[in-house]
Amino acid sequence: MKALVTGATGFIGSHLCEELARRGHTVTCLVREKSNLKWIENIDLKIITGDCEKIESLYGAVDGV
């Protein structure tokens, strides 16, 4: 399964990403430009920089999901 996670740098989102990746899913994360990635930096994820309020940044995030 492919998953797109917004809020991946937060408490719940980081744990969700970790569990999805552990289960073998392909995980893409939409993160803001200045987000602190410390909670997800050691997880096998695809990181897309963008913002849910900027539609043009969503195209890369949802591609193939």
Side-chain angles (χ1 to χ4, degrees):
M1 174 178 73
K2 294 180 181 179
L4 171 63
V5 178
T6 61
T9 58
F11 180 77
I12 294 172
S14 64
H15 287 284
L16 174 62
C17 290
E18 184 177 32
E19 184 61 19
L20 287 169
R22 187 189 69 75
R23 292 183 184 202
H25 302 296
T26 302
V27 184
T28 301
C29 300
L30 181 67
V31 299
R32 292 188 185 120
E33 186 175 330
K34 296 182 180 185
S35 292
N36 184 342
L37 304 179
K38 71 178 180 178
W39 300 110
I40 60 171
E41 63 189 4
N42 294 319
I43 306 170
D44 184 23
L45 307 170
K46 179 179 179 185
I47 304 289
I48 301 290
T49 303
D51 190 319
C52 288
E53 294 183 7
K54 297 179 182 173
I55 191 132
E56 63 276 358
S57 70
L58 297 177
Y59 297 127
V62 299
D63 186 39
V65 177

